[in-house]
């Protein structure tokens, strides 16, 4: 049985998103500013939906192989 504490987080910080994308936080920030990454504001912080990051990776790999 999987609990909520064992599953990966649904919302990622900029650092976590950068780690998942294998890039630096500045690159994630730039992609967000360019509208390439979906994000949400939570108070004064920014979070990236894990599903949106995974979708971005999938779309980029389709672009490269097409």
């Amino acid at each position: 049985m999987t609990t909520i504490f064992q599953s990966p987080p649904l919302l990622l910080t900029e650092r976590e998103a950068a780690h998942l994308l294998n890039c630096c936080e500045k690159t994630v920030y730039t992609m967000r500013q360019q509208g390439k990454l979906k994000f949400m504001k939570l108070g004064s912080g920014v979070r990236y939906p894990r599903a949106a990051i995974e979708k971005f990776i999938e779309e980029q790999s389709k672009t490269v192989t097409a």
Side-chain angles (χ1 to χ4, degrees):
M1 178 165 78
T2 303
T3 66
I4 193 167
F5 299 110
Q6 293 174 335
S7 61
L10 297 175
L11 297 175
L12 305 172
T13 64
E14 202 151 73
R15 178 175 288 164
E16 292 167 333
H19 180 75
L20 198 59
L21 291 166
N22 197 30
C23 65
C24 67
E25 293 174 49
K26 174 98 169 125
T27 301
V28 172
Y29 172 82
T30 301
M31 289 192 297
R32 180 183 62 172
Q33 294 298 314
Q34 294 171 343
K36 293 180 180 179
L37 290 178
K38 292 184 179 181
F39 68 96
M40 59 180 49
K41 294 280 283 179
L42 290 176
S44 62
V46 174
R47 296 294 183 267
Y48 300 87
R50 183 178 200 86
I53 298 293
E54 291 171 350
K55 183 178 178 184
F56 175 80
I57 293 169
E58 181 68 27
E59 289 172 350
Q60 296 307 304
S61 63
K62 287 180 183 177
T63 303
V64 172
T65 59

